[in-house]
Amino acid sequence: FGHCELGQLKQIAKAAGCKLNDVVLAASTSSLRAYLQRRFEPTDAPLIASVPISLHAADDDPARGNRLSMMLIPLPVDMADPQERLRAIRSACELGKQEHGRAGGDVVQPLADFLLAAATPGLLASALELTSRSRVADRLPPLWNVVVSNMAGPRVPIYCAGARVKAIYPMGPVVDGVGLNFTVLSNAGNLDVGILACRELVDDVEGLTAGFVAGVRELARIYAVEDTQAADVGRAGASA
């Protein structure tokens, strides 16, 4: 678990001419690149991230519940320059959204509806358990390497029994064949980070979290974005 200052990421996105989610993906890429380099693993090709996206439109009926799909985005761990990585991610996301729109968008929901209609919950659970026990995923190449999810949380401070909730750490799921998940959640002025991994595949989750935070700070230095959280602390100290 970790957290960043949300305003800082927004300022980076504004300075770079990209979306907040592009910055999240760039920080994830920086973390993964550093992780692979610490282990002397190759970084000569991009990793592939599955990125969940919302399909809600302004005129959607809220009663329909969540409408989700996903995009596959290359994470350029093979690029040394953080600015080049961010530009590559921005271009990939723009292209992915265009392709997604041409394909009709909603690809996850119809599949989920079909599975729920075609099988009972018990049958689905048994099928998933059988798939897991047979370790089929270990013998097939993964369609993607990591899930990177950016979720909207409360925009104002929230409280529990009168106490301020300082952080809400998300825990995105890992699945057979894809044992790594980066999920971030906006929480008032923070971006709370939760990284979950299969311990057989990733042995330094704390290092990945620290790498994500370091990736944000690196971009902030490049784009001359002030650490507003540190500035607020400084102003509070001066006024006190």
Side-chain angles (χ1 to χ4, degrees), residues 49-78:
S50 172
V51 182
I53 58 173
S54 173
L55 297 174
H56 275 302
D59 57 350
D60 273 351
D61 180 1
R64 293 186 63 183
N66 291 329
R67 296 182 62 218
L68 298 176
S69 188
M70 69 174 185
M71 295 190 302
L72 297 182
I73 301 297
L75 301 183
V77 295
D78 52 327

Side-chain angles (χ1 to χ4, degrees), residues 7 9 13 23 44 62 66 71 79 88 127 162-163 174 188 218:
L9 276 88
V23 181
D44 54 354
N66 291 329
M71 295 190 302
M79 293 183 179
V174 295
E218 182 178 46

Side-chain angles (χ1 to χ4, degrees), residues 129-154:
E129 183 179 3
L130 178 61
T131 301
S132 180
R133 285 184 176 180
S134 64
R135 304 185 74 90
V136 171
D138 293 346
R139 295 186 287 273
L140 297 175
L143 297 177
W144 54 85
N145 307 107
V146 58
V147 175
V148 182
S149 181
N150 179 12
M151 301 172 59

